[in-house]
Amino acid sequence: MAYGKQWRTELEDGTVVTRSNTWSPPGSHPVGYGVKVVTKGDQLIRIEGDDDNPITTGRVNAMNLALREYTHSPNRVIYPMKRAFEDRGKDKWERTTWDEAMDTICEKVRYFQNTYGPESIVCFGGTGREACIYYYALTFSVLQSPNCCYTQSGWSCYGPRCSISDYVLGAGYPELDYAGHLPGSYHDPRYTLSKWVVVWGKEPLPSNGDGFFGHCLVDMMKLGTHIISIDPRITWVGAHDGNINLQVRPQTDTALALGLINLLFENDEYDHEFVEKWIYGVDELKARAAEYPVDKVAEITTVDAEDIKRVAHIIGTERPIGWAWGLAFDQNKNGVQLSQSFIILAAMCGSIDRPGGLTLGPPSALLGKWRMEQRGAMTDEVWSKRIGAAQWPGLSTGMATTQPDETLNTMETDQPYALKMGWFNSSNFLTPTCSAQPKRWHKALQKLEFVVIQDLTQTPTSMALGDYFLPMSTWAEHDGIVLTHYGRNTVFMGPMNKALTVGECKSDIEICLMFGQRLNPEWWPWYKPADGKSLDLPALQQAVEDFFSDQLKELGFDWKTFQELGLYQPGAHGFEYEKYEKGMLRFDGAPGFNTITGQIEAYSILYESWGEDPLPYYEEPNYSPISKPDLAGQYPLITTSGSRRYSSFHSEHRQVPSLRQIDPWPWCQINPETAAEYDVTDGDWIEVYNMFGEARFKAEITPVMKPGILNCAHGWWFPEQDGEEPNLFGVWKSNFNSLVPHQNIGKLGFGAPYKGVMCNIRRVHSLNSDD
C-alpha cells in the first residue's frame, strides 16, 4: 500500500503510518529493516516492509512481523513492578509507580556507593540489542561503577572480533562490502561485485549479524557472486549449485586458515604489492604458515585436501573476494588466532577496504564513541577496580567491560571485593545464551542484596533474582538511532520513530536520562523535569530529541532533520575506499593503519607485550576426542551450538504464538548415520550430556551435519511452564550452556568452546521425564 514518502502519514480513518527502522527491543541486531508501522491510537495494527528503503527493499523478518503479538501480549510487563526481597523466586510482583521506583532505586544506589564503593554495583547487558549502546553509559556515568559485564565466558560474541580488528588491523569492524553505504547500491559506479564471498562461521539470513542484512548476500548471488561456506554444517547459502562447502571439524578453523595462508605463499598467489607495503611480519608469518601443510590441515579439520587447495587458488587469483565472518570466530578458545589469520587472509587477497571486499570504519564513532567516553565519569581509582582488567589486559584494553569469567569468580569468592547490587539491562543470561555453567551463576547471583531488572517480560532471570522490574518499550514505542556495528563501521544509519505508547514503558535512553538526572546530573544535563524530581513526560521527550541532536551534530544535522532524511548512507557524504592510503584511519592523519607499526600486524606487537605468541597458531580444543583420548569412549561426539533460526533472537520470542509455532521445541541436528547408531529417529527426545552437564532436545535428523557432529539449539526456556523457583520456566531442562566449561578461555581472556565440546547422547521419554 502506498502512503507517500514522508516519515509519518495520517489516513482519513485515523490510521497512522510511521516510517521507521528496526532494532530492539525485542531482541535483534542493529541491521535496521526499513518498515512502516501501522497504528490506530495506541494499538499496533501491523508491520509492513518499506519498499522505498534502498537496502531492505520491503523485506522484513518474521520476528518484526510478529511485533503486534509481542506488543499486546497479556504476559508483557508494561508498568513498574516490585516485590519483597524474601519473595525472590516467587511470582509475588506488585505494581508501583515510576516515581516510587526511582526514589527507592536511587536511594539504594547511593547506599551501596557510599557504604561499599561504586564498584560494589554491577550492570549486566545482553547481546546485540540497542542496550549494547546504553548499558555502558548506565554503568559508567549513571551508576558510576566500573563493572559493566557481558556474561558470556570469554566474551565470546562479537567483542573478540572487534578487539582483534583494533589490535592487528587498526580499524573498526571489517564488513563485507554489499554496497549498503552507497546510494546507488550495486549499480553505483564506485562498486564492484564480489566474484566470491567467503562466508566463514556465519549464517547471515536468520542471524542478520551486527552490520549485515543477510538477504543482501542473496541479491549478490543473483547477480553472479558465488559462495565459499566454511562451517561444520551445510548452510542455506552454501547449498546452492556452484558454491563450495568446507565442513570443518568444530573449533579447528584456525588450522584451516593457516593452511590457506601457507598455500597462498607456496603457490605465489597473493597481492604482492599490498602485502609488501602494508603487512608487518611477512617473513615470520610465512615461516609459521609453513608449519601447516595441506595434508596436515586436512587431517586436523577433516576437510579434503583437494578442496582446500581449490579454495586457496580461488581466493588467491580471483578479484574481488568478499568476506563475511561470524560468531564461530569468538566461540573458540583459539578464536583470537583465527581472527588474526582471517584478517591476514583478506589482506593477502587484496580485499581490505576495496570495492567488493571488506569495508572499514574508524574504531568507534557517533553513539559508539559516546558510550566509551562515559567511563570519564569515574575517577582513575574507581576505574582501576574493574573486575579482571589487571589480570586480562588483552581483553580489557579493547573492551570497556569486566572479564566475564572473573566476574563469576568474584561473585563466588567476594574477592577482590563483594558485589552487592545488580542491574540487568535486557539480559536473560540464565537461559543458554550467555553464561557457561548457568547454575553456578544462579547460585552466585542470589548473594546480591538488591537487583533491578530492565526488560519487557518476565524471564527466568527476572523471576529468580529481581526486586524491581522496569518495563521496556519496543523499538516501535520510542525514538532512537540504529547504526550498524555500534559505530565501528556505519554502513548506514536510520531513525527509529516512535509510533505508539504502551502502558508506562520506557526506552534505554529514557531510563538513562531519568536516573542520570538524579544520580549524576553533570553527565546527564538533557532531562530537566519541571519540579526537578518527578517524572515529566514532555520534558523527557524533549530530552531524548536534544540528546540525539547532540549525537548527530558531527554529521551536520539534528534529530528532526534525521527523521525527515530517513536513512543516512556515508556514500552520499564523501565516503572513500582505501582510507589507509589517504590518512583516514590513523588518529595522526598519516597514511596507514591505526596500529603500533602503522601496518596490518601478522606479527602483533601488542600480543607479544601481553605474553601471547605474536603470530597466529592452531591449538587443539581442550575438550575433544583428540585432546582427551581417555574420555573419547565415554564422550565420542562433538556438539556445537549458537546457530540462529528465523523464529527467535537468542532467548527472546519464545512466548510469541506465531513464532513458537515455527520452532515449538528445542532441537538437535544429527546426521542420519549417527542417529541410526544411537537408535534415534526424527522427533525423538534425546539428552545431550558430558562431564559438565546435560540438556534435552528433540532430534532433527538431517544430512547437513557430518557424522559424529551435533548442532544444538540455544536460548531455550518455556514461558508456558511454572515460572517460580525451582522450575523458573523450565530454564534448566534444555540449557545447552550446562555443557560448556567455565573459564576454558584463550590467553588474552577471549573465546570459549560454545561451538565445540565433546559429548554423548541418549534417548529419553520426554522433556520432563525422570529417565
Side-chain angles (χ1 to χ4, degrees):
M1 185 181 295
Y3 300 114
K5 292 189 177 182
Q6 59 271 29
W7 75 271
R8 175 163 291 162
T9 303
E10 185 168 351
L11 306 181
E12 292 182 0
D13 65 354
T15 300
V16 177
V17 180
T18 304
R19 267 195 165 79
S20 193
N21 296 269
T22 69
W23 192 355
S24 70
S28 65
H29 281 125
V31 178
Y33 288 92
V35 294
K36 300 167 186 174
V37 184
V38 182
T39 58
K40 195 165 188 177
D42 280 327
Q43 286 292 309
L44 176 57
I45 307 302
R46 63 183 176 274
I47 301 295
E48 299 179 2
D50 186 353
D51 294 337
D52 292 316
N53 184 290
I55 299 169
T56 57
T57 59
R59 293 171 291 197
V60 61
N61 65 356
M63 289 177 282
N64 282 310
L65 289 173
L67 186 64
R68 184 180 186 279
E69 293 175 80
Y70 202 120
T71 299
H72 299 301
S73 168
N75 297 321
R76 184 178 172 193
V77 180
I78 61 174
Y79 301 103
M81 307 290 284
K82 66 178 182 178
R83 67 179 172 187
F85 178 85
E86 58 269 21
D87 288 331
R88 279 189 184 174
K90 300 176 183 178
D91 191 11
K92 291 193 174 183
W93 295 92
E94 61 181 61
R95 180 176 171 180
T96 187
T97 66
W98 273 105
D99 283 333
E100 188 278 328
M102 285 194 289
D103 286 344
T104 301
I105 293 170
C106 289
E107 180 183 335
K108 290 286 189 179
V109 170
R110 290 297 188 210
Y111 167 75
F112 290 115
Q113 287 175 334
N114 295 331
T115 307
Y116 302 102
E119 67 273 12
S120 67
I121 303 172
V122 58
C123 183
F124 299 103
T127 176
R129 297 160 175 82
E130 191 180 352
C132 289
I133 294 290
Y134 298 108
Y135 76 78
Y136 289 76
L138 176 65
T139 310
F140 298 152
S141 62
V142 175
L143 303 174
Q144 295 177 274
S145 167
N147 291 322
C148 175
C149 180
Y150 171 61
T151 62
Q152 193 166 43
S153 178
W155 226 118
S156 298
C157 181
Y158 188 73
R161 277 171 286 161
C162 291
S163 296
I164 277 53
S165 296
D166 195 7
Y167 300 160
V168 307
L169 177 61
Y173 188 94
E175 181 57 271
L176 170 67
D177 185 2
Y178 59 93
H181 57 291
L182 299 172
S185 188
Y186 307 108
H187 307 292
D188 194 290
R190 291 169 286 183
Y191 182 70
T192 304
L193 182 71
S194 310
K195 288 188 177 179
W196 291 82
V197 174
V198 180
V199 183
W200 200 325
K202 188 181 187 72
E203 174 60 293
L205 285 168
S207 68
N208 292 299
D210 299 86
F212 181 51
F213 177 68
H215 287 85
C216 290
L217 195 59
V218 179
D219 293 339
M220 295 171 70
M221 291 167 66
K222 290 177 180 177
L223 293 170
T225 297
H226 290 291
I227 304 298
I228 298 168
S229 175
I230 303 175
D231 200 291
R233 304 167 297 147
I234 296 176
T235 65
W236 186 92
V237 295
H240 288 68
D241 288 344
N243 294 341
I244 299 172
N245 291 280
L246 302 186
Q247 284 187 267
V248 294
R249 177 167 65 94
Q251 309 277 280
T252 63
D253 305 71
T254 309
L256 177 62
L258 286 163
L260 290 170
I261 292 171
N262 181 54
L263 286 169
L264 292 179
F265 280 125
E266 278 191 354
N267 299 331
D268 196 28
E269 293 177 338
Y270 61 92
D271 188 328
H272 284 261
E273 182 180 357
F274 187 92
V275 168
E276 290 165 10
K277 186 174 182 179
W278 294 117
I279 296 185
Y280 177 78
V282 176
D283 291 340
E284 295 90 341
L285 172 68
K286 187 174 182 178
R288 173 59 57 82
E291 298 174 16
Y292 297 89
V294 67
D295 290 339
K296 176 181 176 180
V297 170
E299 182 180 358
I300 292 171
T301 62
T302 69
V303 176
D304 186 86
E306 294 305 314
D307 289 338
I308 299 173
K309 291 177 184 178
R310 181 187 175 200
V311 166
H313 177 66
I314 289 171
I315 65 174
T317 58
E318 300 280 351
R319 297 288 185 273
I321 298 291
W323 304 80
W325 51 336
L327 187 64
F329 284 71
D330 304 328
Q331 296 190 337
N332 182 342
K333 182 184 175 184
N334 194 209
V336 163
Q337 291 71 36
L338 176 58
S339 292
Q340 185 182 14
S341 301
F342 173 87
I343 291 168
I344 293 165
L345 275 169
M348 292 181 71
C349 296
S351 300
I352 300 294
D353 210 18
R354 288 176 175 169
L358 288 167
T359 63
L360 296 183
S364 64
L366 289 169
L367 283 165
K369 179 181 176 183
W370 167 83
R371 70 173 178 173
M372 294 298 132
E373 292 171 344
Q374 302 309 296
R375 71 183 81 170
M378 290 169 283
T379 65
D380 290 342
E381 180 184 4
V382 172
W383 181 242
S384 70
K385 296 179 180 179
R386 180 170 45 131
I387 294 170
Q391 302 98 309
W392 302 96
L395 182 147
S396 62
T397 299
M399 306 306 298
T401 63
T402 67
Q403 204 287 335
D405 301 271
E406 289 296 344
T407 306
L408 177 55
N409 295 341
T410 294
M411 298 189 72
E412 290 179 329
T413 65
D414 294 337
Q415 297 298 322
Y417 49 79
L419 293 170
K420 298 291 185 177
M421 174 181 169
W423 192 307
F424 293 73
N425 189 347
S426 299
S427 183
N428 178 26
F429 68 77
L430 292 184
T431 58
T433 302
C434 294
S435 54
Q437 294 301 293
K439 288 186 179 180
R440 282 181 61 177
W441 277 95
H442 177 234
K443 182 178 179 180
L445 289 164
Q446 290 175 326
K447 295 167 64 176
L448 293 172
E449 296 177 13
F450 185 69
V451 172
V452 178
I453 303 289
Q454 187 176 323
D455 216 319
L456 286 83
T457 187
Q458 292 287 355
T459 67
T461 304
S462 67
M463 191 65 77
L465 303 166
D467 299 311
Y468 272 76
F469 191 113
L470 305 181
M472 297 287 294
S473 58
T474 71
W475 59 262
E477 297 160 34
H478 68 262
D479 291 326
I481 297 175
V482 56
L483 71 169
T484 59
H485 292 299
Y486 319 94
R488 289 189 178 96
N489 188 345
T490 307
V491 178
F492 66 91
M493 184 173 67
M496 290 179 283
N497 294 316
K498 182 174 180 176
L500 73 158
T501 298
V502 175
E504 296 178 4
C505 301
K506 299 287 180 280
S507 68
D508 286 291
I509 185 56
E510 287 174 321
I511 288 173
C512 283
L513 288 164
M514 291 159 59
F515 283 92
Q517 182 266 337
R518 294 277 196 97
L519 294 168
N520 194 11
E522 180 183 351
W523 279 74
W524 292 91
W526 297 277
Y527 177 44
K528 299 172 183 176
D531 67 356
K533 185 176 180 181
S534 300
L535 181 60
D536 184 336
L537 293 178
L540 184 60
Q541 178 60 37
Q542 187 60 53
V544 170
E545 294 184 13
D546 292 343
F547 171 81
F548 286 131
S549 290
D550 280 351
Q551 302 309 311
L552 293 165
K553 277 180 181 177
E554 66 180 86
L555 297 180
F557 44 79
D558 60 12
W559 170 250
K560 296 289 189 186
T561 305
F562 188 46
Q563 281 185 307
E564 297 293 339
L565 183 65
L567 192 72
Y568 171 84
Q569 293 174 281
H573 302 271
F575 173 88
E576 301 210 30
Y577 288 107
E578 298 184 330
K579 290 180 278 295
Y580 52 87
E581 294 275 11
K582 303 160 188 172
M584 299 173 68
L585 290 179
R586 293 184 59 85
F587 294 128
D588 60 11
F593 297 87
N594 195 46
T595 61
I596 293 172
T597 61
Q599 297 172 292
I600 297 172
E601 296 189 359
Y603 186 106
S604 172
I605 305 299
L606 281 174
Y607 290 5
E608 192 170 45
S609 73
W610 293 324
E612 174 62 293
D613 191 326
L615 293 162
Y617 59 87
Y618 170 68
E619 184 177 54
E620 178 68 22
N622 288 85
Y623 294 98
S624 78
I626 293 174
S627 61
K628 294 285 191 294
D630 55 321
L631 296 175
Q634 189 176 357
Y635 306 112
L637 307 175
I638 300 173
T639 181
T640 183
S641 185
S643 60
R644 312 295 167 78
R645 292 212 168 171
Y646 296 95
S647 57
S648 179
F649 183 83
H650 299 311
S651 69
E652 292 208 58
H653 304 97
R654 303 297 182 194
Q655 76 279 24
V656 180
S658 65
L659 298 174
R660 185 67 180 275
Q661 188 175 16
I662 297 171
D663 284 302
W665 302 108
W667 42 266
C668 174
Q669 293 181 316
I670 309 175
N671 179 275
E673 289 182 27
T674 305
E677 181 182 349
Y678 285 85
D679 195 26
V680 171
T681 58
D682 199 68
D684 283 350
W685 279 102
I686 62 170
E687 187 167 76
V688 182
Y689 64 97
N690 64 10
M691 63 286 289
F692 302 110
E694 64 283 322
R696 294 190 175 190
F697 307 92
K698 274 206 165 190
E700 186 177 283
I701 313 303
T702 172
V704 305
M705 303 303 300
K706 295 175 75 170
I709 309 296
L710 312 178
N711 179 34
C712 292
H714 75 291
W716 269 91
W717 56 294
F718 302 91
E720 69 275 13
Q721 292 192 9
D722 180 15
E724 294 191 332
E725 292 272 20
N727 191 56
L728 294 177
F729 302 108
V731 71
W732 312 121
K733 296 177 180 178
S734 300
N735 200 314
F736 179 85
N737 289 4
S738 298
L739 285 75
V740 181
H742 169 65
Q743 204 160 332
N744 183 235
I745 57 179
K747 292 180 182 178
L748 298 187
F750 286 122
Y754 293 87
K755 289 288 186 186
V757 288
M758 59 197 306
C759 69
N760 207 335
I761 61 173
R762 54 185 165 230
R763 289 175 59 188
V764 293
H765 285 102
S766 68
L767 174 67
N768 301 304
S769 62
D770 293 329
D771 53 0

